[in-house]
Coordinates of all heavy atoms in Angstrom, one line a residue:
S1 N 43.3 37.3 -7.3 CA 42.6 36.9 -8.4 C 43.4 37.0 -9.7 O 44.3 37.9 -9.8 CB 41.3 37.6 -8.6 OG 40.8 37.6 -10.0
M2 N 43.3 36.1 -10.6 CA 44.1 36.1 -11.8 C 43.7 37.3 -12.7 O 44.5 37.6 -13.6 CB 43.9 34.8 -12.6 CG 44.4 33.6 -11.8 SD 45.4 32.4 -12.6 CE 46.2 33.2 -13.9
F3 N 42.6 37.9 -12.4 CA 42.1 39.0 -13.3 C 42.7 40.4 -12.8 O 42.4 41.4 -13.4 CB 40.6 39.1 -13.3 CG 40.0 38.0 -14.2 CD1 38.9 37.3 -13.8 CD2 40.5 37.7 -15.4 CE1 38.3 36.4 -14.5 CE2 40.0 36.7 -16.2 CZ 38.9 36.1 -15.8
E4 N 43.5 40.4 -11.7 CA 44.1 41.6 -11.2 C 45.1 42.1 -12.3 O 45.8 41.3 -12.9 CB 44.8 41.3 -9.9 CG 43.8 41.0 -8.8 CD 44.6 40.7 -7.4 OE1 45.7 41.1 -7.3 OE2 43.9 40.2 -6.6
K5 N 45.2 43.4 -12.4 CA 46.0 44.0 -13.4 C 47.5 43.8 -13.2 O 48.3 43.8 -14.1 CB 45.7 45.5 -13.5 CG 44.3 45.8 -13.9 CD 44.0 45.3 -15.2 CE 42.5 45.5 -15.6 NZ 42.0 44.8 -16.7
N6 N 47.9 43.4 -12.0 CA 49.3 43.3 -11.7 C 49.8 41.8 -11.9 O 51.0 41.6 -11.7 CB 49.7 43.8 -10.3 CG 49.0 43.0 -9.3 OD1 48.1 42.1 -9.5 ND2 49.3 43.2 -8.0
Y7 N 49.0 40.9 -12.4 CA 49.4 39.6 -12.7 C 50.2 39.5 -14.0 O 49.9 40.2 -14.9 CB 48.2 38.6 -12.8 CG 48.6 37.2 -13.1 CD1 49.0 36.4 -12.1 CD2 48.7 36.7 -14.3 CE1 49.4 35.1 -12.2 CE2 49.1 35.4 -14.6 CZ 49.5 34.6 -13.5 OH 49.8 33.3 -13.8
S8 N 51.3 38.8 -14.0 CA 52.1 38.7 -15.2 C 52.8 37.2 -15.2 O 52.8 36.6 -14.2 CB 53.2 39.8 -15.3 OG 54.1 39.6 -14.2
Y9 N 53.3 36.9 -16.4 CA 54.1 35.7 -16.5 C 55.3 35.8 -15.6 O 55.9 36.9 -15.3 CB 54.5 35.5 -17.9 CG 53.4 35.0 -18.8 CD1 52.9 35.8 -19.8 CD2 53.0 33.7 -18.7 CE1 51.9 35.4 -20.6 CE2 52.0 33.2 -19.5 CZ 51.4 34.1 -20.5 OH 50.4 33.6 -21.3
P10 N 55.9 34.6 -15.2 CA 57.1 34.7 -14.4 C 58.3 35.4 -15.1 O 58.3 35.4 -16.4 CB 57.5 33.2 -14.3 CG 56.2 32.5 -14.4 CD 55.4 33.3 -15.4
H11 N 59.1 36.0 -14.4 CA 60.2 36.8 -14.9 C 61.0 35.9 -16.0 O 61.4 34.9 -15.8 CB 61.1 37.2 -13.8 CG 62.3 38.1 -14.2 ND1 62.1 39.3 -14.7 CD2 63.6 37.8 -14.2 CE1 63.3 39.9 -14.9 NE2 64.2 39.0 -14.6
E12 N 61.2 36.6 -17.2 CA 62.0 36.0 -18.3 C 61.5 34.7 -18.8 O 62.3 33.9 -19.3 CB 63.5 35.9 -17.9 CG 64.1 37.3 -17.5 CD 65.6 37.2 -17.3 OE1 66.1 36.1 -17.1 OE2 66.2 38.3 -17.3
I13 N 60.2 34.5 -18.7 CA 59.7 33.1 -19.2 C 60.0 32.9 -20.6 O 60.3 31.8 -21.0 CB 58.2 33.1 -18.8 CG1 57.6 31.7 -19.1 CG2 57.3 34.1 -19.6 CD1 58.1 30.6 -18.2
I14 N 59.9 33.9 -21.5 CA 60.1 33.7 -22.9 C 61.5 33.3 -23.1 O 61.9 32.4 -23.9 CB 59.7 35.0 -23.7 CG1 58.2 35.1 -23.6 CG2 60.0 34.8 -25.2 CD1 57.7 36.4 -24.2
K15 N 62.5 34.0 -22.5 CA 63.9 33.7 -22.6 C 64.1 32.3 -22.1 O 64.9 31.5 -22.8 CB 64.7 34.6 -21.7 CG 66.1 34.4 -21.8 CD 66.9 35.4 -20.9 CE 68.4 35.1 -20.8 NZ 69.1 36.0 -19.9
N16 N 63.5 31.8 -21.1 CA 63.7 30.5 -20.5 C 63.2 29.4 -21.5 O 63.8 28.4 -21.7 CB 63.0 30.3 -19.2 CG 63.7 31.1 -18.1 OD1 64.9 31.5 -18.2 ND2 63.0 31.4 -17.0
I17 N 62.0 29.7 -22.1 CA 61.5 28.8 -23.1 C 62.4 28.7 -24.3 O 62.6 27.6 -24.8 CB 60.0 29.2 -23.5 CG1 59.1 28.9 -22.2 CG2 59.5 28.3 -24.6 CD1 57.7 29.5 -22.4
K18 N 62.8 29.9 -24.8 CA 63.6 29.8 -26.0 C 65.0 29.1 -25.8 O 65.6 28.7 -26.7 CB 63.9 31.3 -26.4 CG 62.7 31.9 -27.2 CD 63.1 33.3 -27.7 CE 61.9 33.8 -28.5 NZ 62.2 35.2 -29.0
S19 N 65.4 29.0 -24.5 CA 66.6 28.2 -24.3 C 66.4 26.7 -24.6 O 67.4 26.0 -24.8 CB 67.1 28.4 -22.8 OG 66.3 27.7 -21.9
F20 N 65.2 26.3 -24.7 CA 64.8 24.9 -25.0 C 64.4 24.7 -26.4 O 64.7 23.7 -27.1 CB 63.8 24.3 -24.1 CG 64.2 24.2 -22.7 CD1 63.9 25.2 -21.7 CD2 65.0 23.2 -22.3 CE1 64.3 25.0 -20.4 CE2 65.4 23.0 -21.0 CZ 65.1 24.0 -20.0
T21 N 63.6 25.7 -27.0 CA 63.0 25.5 -28.3 C 62.5 26.9 -28.8 O 62.2 27.8 -28.0 CB 61.8 24.6 -28.2 OG1 61.3 24.4 -29.6 CG2 60.7 25.1 -27.3
N22 N 62.3 27.0 -30.1 CA 61.7 28.2 -30.7 C 60.3 27.9 -31.2 O 59.7 28.7 -31.8 CB 62.6 28.7 -31.8 CG 63.8 29.5 -31.3 OD1 63.7 30.2 -30.3 ND2 64.9 29.3 -32.0
N23 N 59.9 26.7 -30.9 CA 58.7 26.2 -31.4 C 57.6 26.2 -30.3 O 57.3 25.2 -29.7 CB 58.8 24.8 -32.0 CG 57.5 24.3 -32.7 OD1 56.7 25.0 -33.1 ND2 57.4 23.0 -32.9
F24 N 57.0 27.4 -30.0 CA 56.1 27.6 -29.0 C 55.2 28.8 -29.2 O 55.5 29.6 -30.1 CB 56.8 27.7 -27.6 CG 57.6 29.0 -27.5 CD1 57.0 30.1 -26.9 CD2 58.9 29.1 -27.9 CE1 57.7 31.3 -26.7 CE2 59.6 30.2 -27.7 CZ 59.0 31.3 -27.1
F25 N 54.1 28.8 -28.5 CA 53.2 30.0 -28.6 C 52.9 30.4 -27.1 O 52.7 29.6 -26.3 CB 51.8 29.5 -29.2 CG 51.9 29.0 -30.6 CD1 52.1 27.7 -30.9 CD2 52.0 29.9 -31.7 CE1 52.2 27.2 -32.1 CE2 52.1 29.4 -33.0 CZ 52.2 28.1 -33.2
I26 N 52.8 31.7 -27.0 CA 52.3 32.2 -25.7 C 51.0 33.0 -26.0 O 51.0 33.9 -26.8 CB 53.4 33.2 -25.1 CG1 54.6 32.3 -24.7 CG2 52.8 33.9 -23.8 CD1 55.8 33.1 -24.2
I27 N 50.0 32.6 -25.4 CA 48.6 33.2 -25.6 C 48.1 33.8 -24.3 O 48.2 33.1 -23.3 CB 47.7 32.1 -26.1 CG1 48.2 31.4 -27.4 CG2 46.3 32.7 -26.4 CD1 47.6 30.1 -27.7
D28 N 47.6 35.0 -24.4 CA 47.1 35.6 -23.2 C 45.6 35.1 -22.9 O 44.7 35.8 -23.2 CB 47.1 37.1 -23.4 CG 46.8 37.9 -22.1 OD1 46.4 37.2 -21.1 OD2 47.0 39.1 -22.2
T29 N 45.6 33.9 -22.4 CA 44.3 33.3 -22.1 C 43.5 34.0 -21.0 O 42.3 34.0 -21.0 CB 44.4 31.8 -21.7 OG1 45.3 31.7 -20.6 CG2 44.9 31.0 -22.8
M30 N 44.3 34.7 -20.2 CA 43.6 35.5 -19.1 C 42.8 36.6 -19.8 O 41.7 36.9 -19.4 CB 44.6 36.1 -18.2 CG 44.1 36.8 -17.0 SD 45.2 37.3 -15.7 CE 46.8 37.5 -16.5
K31 N 43.3 37.3 -20.8 CA 42.6 38.3 -21.5 C 41.3 37.8 -22.1 O 40.3 38.4 -22.1 CB 43.5 39.0 -22.5 CG 42.9 40.2 -23.2 CD 43.9 40.8 -24.1 CE 43.3 42.0 -24.8 NZ 44.2 42.7 -25.7
I32 N 41.5 36.6 -22.7 CA 40.3 36.0 -23.3 C 39.3 35.6 -22.3 O 38.0 35.7 -22.5 CB 40.7 34.7 -24.2 CG1 41.7 35.2 -25.3 CG2 39.5 34.0 -24.8 CD1 42.4 34.1 -26.0
A33 N 39.7 35.0 -21.2 CA 38.8 34.6 -20.2 C 38.1 35.7 -19.5 O 36.9 35.6 -19.0 CB 39.6 33.9 -19.1
E34 N 38.7 36.9 -19.6 CA 38.0 38.1 -19.0 C 36.7 38.3 -19.8 O 35.7 38.8 -19.3 CB 38.9 39.3 -19.1 CG 39.9 39.3 -18.0 CD 40.9 40.5 -18.1 OE1 41.0 41.1 -19.2 OE2 41.6 40.9 -17.1
Q35 N 36.7 38.0 -21.1 CA 35.6 38.2 -22.0 C 34.4 37.3 -21.6 O 33.2 37.7 -21.7 CB 35.9 37.9 -23.5 CG 36.9 38.8 -24.1 CD 37.2 38.3 -25.5 OE1 36.4 37.8 -26.2 NE2 38.5 38.6 -25.9
I36 N 34.8 36.2 -21.0 CA 33.8 35.2 -20.6 C 33.4 35.4 -19.1 O 32.3 35.1 -18.7 CB 34.4 33.8 -20.7 CG1 34.8 33.5 -22.2 CG2 33.4 32.7 -20.2 CD1 35.6 32.3 -22.5
G37 N 34.3 36.0 -18.4 CA 34.0 36.3 -17.0 C 34.5 35.3 -16.0 O 34.0 35.3 -14.8
S38 N 35.3 34.3 -16.4 CA 35.7 33.3 -15.5 C 37.2 32.9 -15.8 O 37.4 32.3 -16.9 CB 34.8 32.1 -15.5 OG 35.4 31.1 -14.7
A39 N 38.1 33.0 -14.9 CA 39.5 32.6 -15.1 C 39.5 31.1 -15.2 O 40.4 30.5 -15.8 CB 40.3 33.0 -13.9
K40 N 38.5 30.4 -14.7 CA 38.5 28.9 -14.8 C 38.3 28.4 -16.1 O 38.4 27.2 -16.4 CB 37.3 28.4 -13.8 CG 37.7 28.6 -12.4 CD 36.5 28.1 -11.5 CE 36.8 28.4 -10.0 NZ 35.7 27.9 -9.2
T41 N 38.0 29.2 -17.1 CA 37.9 28.8 -18.5 C 39.2 28.8 -19.3 O 39.2 28.4 -20.4 CB 36.9 29.6 -19.3 OG1 37.3 31.0 -19.3 CG2 35.5 29.6 -18.6
M42 N 40.3 29.3 -18.7 CA 41.5 29.4 -19.4 C 42.0 28.0 -19.9 O 42.5 28.0 -21.0 CB 42.6 30.0 -18.5 CG 42.4 31.5 -18.3 SD 43.7 32.4 -17.6 CE 43.8 31.8 -15.9
N43 N 41.8 27.0 -19.2 CA 42.3 25.7 -19.7 C 41.5 25.2 -20.9 O 42.0 24.6 -21.9 CB 42.2 24.6 -18.6 CG 40.8 24.4 -18.0 OD1 39.9 25.3 -18.2 ND2 40.6 23.3 -17.4
V44 N 40.2 25.5 -21.0 CA 39.4 25.2 -22.1 C 39.7 26.1 -23.3 O 39.7 25.6 -24.5 CB 37.9 25.2 -21.8 CG1 37.0 24.9 -23.0 CG2 37.6 24.3 -20.6
I45 N 40.1 27.3 -23.1 CA 40.6 28.2 -24.2 C 41.9 27.6 -24.8 O 42.0 27.5 -26.0 CB 40.9 29.6 -23.6 CG1 39.6 30.3 -23.2 CG2 41.6 30.5 -24.6 CD1 39.8 31.5 -22.3
M46 N 42.8 27.1 -23.9 CA 44.0 26.4 -24.5 C 43.7 25.2 -25.3 O 44.3 24.9 -26.2 CB 44.9 26.1 -23.3 CG 45.5 27.3 -22.6 SD 46.5 28.3 -23.8 CE 47.9 27.2 -24.0
I47 N 42.7 24.4 -24.8 CA 42.3 23.2 -25.5 C 41.7 23.6 -26.9 O 42.0 22.9 -27.9 CB 41.3 22.4 -24.7 CG1 41.9 21.7 -23.5 CG2 40.6 21.3 -25.6 CD1 41.0 21.2 -22.5
G48 N 41.0 24.7 -26.9 CA 40.4 25.2 -28.2 C 41.6 25.5 -29.1 O 41.5 25.2 -30.3
F49 N 42.6 26.2 -28.7 CA 43.7 26.6 -29.5 C 44.4 25.4 -30.0 O 44.8 25.2 -31.1 CB 44.6 27.5 -28.7 CG 45.8 28.1 -29.5 CD1 45.6 29.0 -30.5 CD2 47.1 27.6 -29.3 CE1 46.6 29.5 -31.3 CE2 48.1 28.0 -30.1 CZ 47.9 29.0 -31.1
L50 N 44.7 24.4 -29.0 CA 45.4 23.2 -29.3 C 44.7 22.4 -30.4 O 45.3 21.8 -31.2 CB 45.5 22.3 -28.1 CG 46.1 20.9 -28.2 CD1 47.6 21.1 -28.7 CD2 46.0 20.2 -27.0
S51 N 43.3 22.4 -30.4 CA 42.6 21.7 -31.4 C 42.9 22.0 -32.8 O 42.6 21.2 -33.7 CB 41.1 21.9 -31.1 OG 40.6 23.2 -31.5
N52 N 43.5 23.2 -33.0 CA 43.8 23.6 -34.4 C 45.0 22.8 -34.9 O 45.3 22.7 -36.2 CB 44.3 25.1 -34.5 CG 43.1 26.0 -34.2 OD1 42.1 26.0 -35.0 ND2 43.2 26.8 -33.2
F53 N 45.7 22.1 -34.1 CA 46.9 21.3 -34.4 C 46.7 19.8 -34.4 O 47.6 19.1 -34.6 CB 48.1 21.7 -33.5 CG 48.4 23.2 -33.6 CD1 47.8 24.1 -32.6 CD2 49.2 23.7 -34.6 CE1 48.1 25.4 -32.7 CE2 49.4 25.1 -34.6 CZ 48.9 25.9 -33.7
L54 N 45.6 19.4 -34.0 CA 45.3 17.9 -33.8 C 44.2 17.4 -34.8 O 43.2 18.1 -35.0 CB 44.9 17.6 -32.3 CG 45.9 18.0 -31.3 CD1 45.3 17.8 -29.9 CD2 47.2 17.1 -31.5
P55 N 44.4 16.2 -35.2 CA 43.4 15.6 -36.2 C 42.2 15.1 -35.5 O 41.9 13.9 -35.6 CB 44.2 14.6 -36.9 CG 45.1 14.0 -35.9 CD 45.5 15.3 -35.1
V56 N 41.4 15.9 -34.8 CA 40.2 15.5 -34.0 C 39.2 16.4 -34.5 O 39.3 17.6 -34.6 CB 40.5 15.7 -32.5 CG1 39.2 15.3 -31.8 CG2 41.6 14.8 -32.0
S57 N 38.0 15.8 -34.8 CA 36.9 16.6 -35.4 C 36.3 17.5 -34.3 O 36.4 17.3 -33.1 CB 35.8 15.6 -35.9 OG 35.1 15.0 -34.8
M58 N 35.7 18.6 -34.8 CA 35.0 19.6 -33.9 C 33.9 18.9 -33.1 O 33.8 19.1 -31.9 CB 34.5 20.7 -34.8 CG 33.8 21.8 -34.0 SD 35.0 22.7 -33.0 CE 34.1 24.1 -32.6
D59 N 33.2 18.0 -33.7 CA 32.1 17.2 -33.0 C 32.7 16.5 -31.9 O 32.0 16.4 -30.8 CB 31.4 16.3 -34.0 CG 30.5 17.1 -35.0 OD1 30.2 18.2 -34.7 OD2 30.1 16.4 -36.0
S60 N 33.8 15.8 -32.0 CA 34.4 15.1 -30.9 C 34.9 16.0 -29.8 O 34.7 15.6 -28.6 CB 35.7 14.3 -31.4 OG 35.3 13.3 -32.4
W61 N 35.4 17.1 -30.1 CA 35.8 18.1 -29.0 C 34.6 18.5 -28.3 O 34.6 18.5 -27.0 CB 36.5 19.3 -29.6 CG 37.9 19.0 -30.1 CD1 38.3 19.1 -31.4 CD2 39.1 18.8 -29.3 NE1 39.7 18.8 -31.5 CE2 40.2 18.7 -30.2 CE3 39.3 18.7 -28.0 CZ2 41.5 18.4 -29.8 CZ3 40.6 18.5 -27.6 CH2 41.7 18.3 -28.4
V62 N 33.6 18.9 -29.0 CA 32.4 19.4 -28.3 C 31.7 18.3 -27.5 O 31.3 18.5 -26.3 CB 31.4 20.0 -29.3 CG1 30.0 20.3 -28.7 CG2 32.0 21.3 -29.9
R63 N 31.6 17.1 -28.1 CA 31.0 16.0 -27.4 C 31.8 15.7 -26.0 O 31.2 15.5 -25.0 CB 31.0 14.8 -28.3 CG 30.2 13.6 -27.6 CD 29.9 12.5 -28.6 NE 31.2 11.9 -29.2 CZ 31.6 12.1 -30.5 NH1 30.8 12.8 -31.3 NH2 32.7 11.6 -30.9
S64 N 33.1 15.7 -26.1 CA 34.0 15.5 -24.9 C 33.7 16.6 -23.9 O 33.6 16.3 -22.6 CB 35.4 15.5 -25.3 OG 35.6 14.4 -26.2
I65 N 33.7 17.8 -24.3 CA 33.4 18.9 -23.3 C 32.0 18.7 -22.6 O 31.9 18.8 -21.4 CB 33.5 20.3 -24.0 CG1 34.9 20.5 -24.4 CG2 33.0 21.4 -23.1 CD1 35.1 21.7 -25.4
K66 N 31.0 18.3 -23.4 CA 29.7 18.2 -22.9 C 29.6 17.0 -21.9 O 28.9 17.0 -21.0 CB 28.7 17.9 -24.0 CG 28.3 19.2 -24.8 CD 27.4 18.9 -26.0 CE 27.0 20.2 -26.6 NZ 26.0 19.9 -27.7
E67 N 30.5 16.0 -22.1 CA 30.5 14.8 -21.2 C 31.2 15.1 -19.9 O 30.8 14.5 -18.9 CB 31.3 13.7 -21.9 CG 30.5 13.0 -23.0 CD 31.3 11.9 -23.7 OE1 32.3 11.5 -23.2 OE2 30.8 11.5 -24.8
V68 N 32.1 16.1 -19.8 CA 32.8 16.2 -18.6 C 32.5 17.6 -17.8 O 32.8 17.7 -16.6 CB 34.4 16.2 -18.8 CG1 34.8 14.8 -19.3 CG2 34.8 17.3 -19.8
V69 N 31.9 18.5 -18.5 CA 31.7 19.8 -17.9 C 30.2 19.8 -17.3 O 29.3 19.5 -18.1 CB 31.9 21.0 -18.9 CG1 31.4 22.3 -18.3 CG2 33.4 21.0 -19.3
P70 N 30.0 20.3 -16.1 CA 28.7 20.3 -15.5 C 27.8 21.3 -16.3 O 28.3 22.3 -16.9 CB 28.9 20.9 -14.1 CG 30.4 20.6 -13.8 CD 31.1 20.6 -15.1
K71 N 26.5 21.0 -16.4 CA 25.6 21.8 -17.2 C 25.6 23.2 -16.8 O 25.4 24.1 -17.7 CB 24.2 21.2 -17.1 CG 23.9 20.1 -18.0 CD 22.4 19.8 -18.0 CE 22.1 18.8 -19.1 NZ 20.7 18.7 -19.5
K72 N 25.8 23.5 -15.6 CA 25.7 24.9 -15.0 C 26.8 25.8 -15.7 O 26.5 27.0 -15.9 CB 26.0 24.8 -13.5 CG 26.0 26.1 -12.8 CD 26.2 26.0 -11.3 CE 26.3 27.3 -10.6 NZ 26.4 27.2 -9.2
I73 N 27.9 25.2 -16.1 CA 29.0 26.0 -16.7 C 29.3 25.6 -18.1 O 30.3 26.0 -18.7 CB 30.2 26.0 -15.8 CG1 30.7 24.6 -15.6 CG2 30.0 26.8 -14.6 CD1 32.1 24.5 -14.8
L74 N 28.4 24.8 -18.7 CA 28.7 24.2 -20.1 C 28.8 25.3 -21.1 O 29.7 25.3 -21.9 CB 27.6 23.2 -20.4 CG 27.8 22.6 -21.8 CD1 29.1 21.8 -21.9 CD2 26.6 21.6 -22.1
E75 N 27.8 26.2 -21.2 CA 27.8 27.2 -22.3 C 29.0 28.1 -22.2 O 29.6 28.5 -23.2 CB 26.5 28.1 -22.2 CG 25.3 27.3 -22.7 CD 25.4 26.7 -24.1 OE1 25.9 27.5 -25.0 OE2 25.1 25.6 -24.3
Q76 N 29.4 28.4 -20.9 CA 30.6 29.2 -20.7 C 31.8 28.5 -21.3 O 32.7 29.1 -21.9 CB 30.7 29.4 -19.2 CG 31.8 30.5 -18.8 CD 31.7 30.7 -17.3 OE1 31.7 29.7 -16.5 NE2 31.5 31.9 -16.9
N77 N 31.9 27.2 -21.0 CA 33.1 26.5 -21.5 C 33.1 26.2 -23.0 O 34.1 26.2 -23.6 CB 33.2 25.2 -20.7 CG 33.9 25.4 -19.4 OD1 35.1 25.3 -19.3 ND2 33.0 25.6 -18.4
L78 N 31.9 26.1 -23.6 CA 31.8 25.9 -25.0 C 32.2 27.2 -25.7 O 32.9 27.2 -26.7 CB 30.4 25.5 -25.4 CG 30.0 24.1 -25.1 CD1 28.5 23.9 -25.4 CD2 30.8 23.1 -25.8
K79 N 31.9 28.3 -25.1 CA 32.3 29.6 -25.6 C 33.8 29.8 -25.5 O 34.5 30.3 -26.4 CB 31.6 30.8 -24.9 CG 32.0 32.1 -25.3 CD 31.2 33.3 -24.6 CE 31.6 34.6 -25.2 NZ 30.9 35.7 -24.5
A80 N 34.3 29.3 -24.4 CA 35.8 29.4 -24.1 C 36.5 28.5 -25.2 O 37.5 29.0 -25.8 CB 36.2 28.8 -22.7
F81 N 36.0 27.3 -25.5 CA 36.6 26.5 -26.5 C 36.6 27.2 -27.9 O 37.6 27.2 -28.6 CB 35.9 25.1 -26.6 CG 36.4 24.3 -27.6 CD1 37.5 23.5 -27.4 CD2 35.9 24.2 -28.9 CE1 38.1 22.6 -28.4 CE2 36.4 23.4 -29.9 CZ 37.5 22.6 -29.6
A82 N 35.4 27.8 -28.2 CA 35.3 28.4 -29.5 C 36.2 29.6 -29.7 O 36.8 29.9 -30.7 CB 33.8 28.9 -29.7
L83 N 36.4 30.4 -28.5 CA 37.3 31.6 -28.6 C 38.8 31.1 -28.8 O 39.5 31.7 -29.5 CB 37.2 32.4 -27.3 CG 35.9 33.2 -27.2 CD1 35.7 33.8 -25.8 CD2 35.9 34.3 -28.3
G84 N 39.1 30.0 -28.1 CA 40.4 29.5 -28.3 C 40.7 28.9 -29.7 O 41.7 29.2 -30.4
K85 N 39.7 28.2 -30.2 CA 39.8 27.6 -31.5 C 39.9 28.7 -32.6 O 40.6 28.5 -33.5 CB 38.5 26.8 -31.8 CG 38.4 26.2 -33.2 CD 38.7 24.7 -33.2 CE 38.6 24.1 -34.5 NZ 39.7 23.3 -34.8
N86 N 39.1 29.7 -32.4 CA 39.1 30.8 -33.4 C 40.0 32.0 -33.2 O 39.8 33.0 -33.8 CB 37.6 31.3 -33.6 CG 36.7 30.1 -34.0 OD1 37.0 29.4 -35.0 ND2 35.6 30.0 -33.4
F87 N 40.9 31.8 -32.2 CA 41.8 32.9 -31.9 C 42.5 33.3 -33.1 O 43.1 32.5 -33.8 CB 42.7 32.5 -30.7 CG 43.6 33.5 -30.2 CD1 43.0 34.5 -29.4 CD2 44.9 33.6 -30.5 CE1 43.8 35.6 -29.0 CE2 45.7 34.6 -30.0 CZ 45.2 35.6 -29.2
K88 N 42.5 34.6 -33.4 CA 43.1 35.1 -34.6 C 44.6 35.3 -34.3 O 45.0 36.0 -33.5 CB 42.5 36.4 -35.1 CG 41.0 36.3 -35.4 CD 40.7 35.3 -36.5 CE 39.3 35.2 -36.8 NZ 38.9 34.0 -37.4
N89 N 45.4 34.7 -35.2 CA 46.9 34.7 -35.0 C 47.5 34.3 -36.3 O 46.8 33.8 -37.2 CB 47.3 33.9 -33.9 CG 47.0 32.5 -34.0 OD1 47.7 31.8 -34.8 ND2 46.0 32.0 -33.3
D90 N 48.8 34.5 -36.4 CA 49.5 34.1 -37.6 C 50.3 32.8 -37.4 O 51.1 32.4 -38.2 CB 50.3 35.2 -38.2 CG 51.3 35.8 -37.2 OD1 51.5 35.2 -36.1 OD2 51.9 36.8 -37.5
F91 N 50.2 32.2 -36.2 CA 50.9 31.0 -35.8 C 52.4 31.0 -36.1 O 53.0 30.0 -36.5 CB 50.3 29.8 -36.6 CG 48.9 29.5 -36.2 CD1 47.8 29.7 -37.1 CD2 48.6 29.0 -35.0 CE1 46.5 29.4 -36.7 CE2 47.3 28.7 -34.6 CZ 46.2 28.9 -35.5
K92 N 53.0 32.2 -35.9 CA 54.4 32.2 -36.0 C 55.1 31.6 -34.7 O 54.6 31.9 -33.6 CB 54.9 33.7 -36.1 CG 54.6 34.2 -37.5 CD 55.2 35.6 -37.7 CE 54.8 36.1 -39.0 NZ 55.2 37.5 -39.2
E93 N 56.1 30.9 -34.9 CA 56.7 30.2 -33.7 C 57.3 31.3 -32.8 O 57.9 32.3 -33.3 CB 57.9 29.3 -34.2 CG 57.4 28.1 -35.0 CD 58.5 27.2 -35.5 OE1 59.7 27.6 -35.4 OE2 58.2 26.2 -36.1
G94 N 57.2 31.0 -31.5 CA 57.7 31.9 -30.5 C 57.1 33.2 -30.4 O 57.6 34.2 -29.8
K95 N 56.0 33.4 -31.0 CA 55.2 34.7 -31.0 C 54.4 34.9 -29.8 O 53.7 34.0 -29.4 CB 54.4 34.8 -32.3 CG 53.5 36.0 -32.3 CD 53.7 36.6 -33.7 CE 52.7 37.8 -33.8 NZ 53.4 39.1 -33.7
C96 N 54.5 36.0 -29.2 CA 53.6 36.3 -28.1 C 52.3 36.8 -28.7 O 52.3 37.8 -29.5 CB 54.3 37.4 -27.2 SG 55.7 36.9 -26.4
L97 N 51.3 36.2 -28.3 CA 49.9 36.5 -28.9 C 49.1 37.2 -27.8 O 49.1 36.9 -26.6 CB 49.3 35.3 -29.4 CG 50.1 34.6 -30.4 CD1 49.4 33.2 -30.8 CD2 50.3 35.4 -31.7

């Protein structure tokens, strides 16, 4: 499971990314997903974070999530989006968050 304590990014991933660019963020979505209780929400957490950089309204994001996510897991995914969107950080390039 992705929630196992011994899971980690691939060896030297930050160094490898920095060989291409210094304009990136690394976010521990697994840690955030643990708050929700489902590793399957990590992609929606990332979409929430990404939404901070795109000129798309909050209503459009939420409406899109509601259109594609089954009702059974909708609330969980809306929470994941909100946690990603509101993730507290200083948006420094190349910062591990």
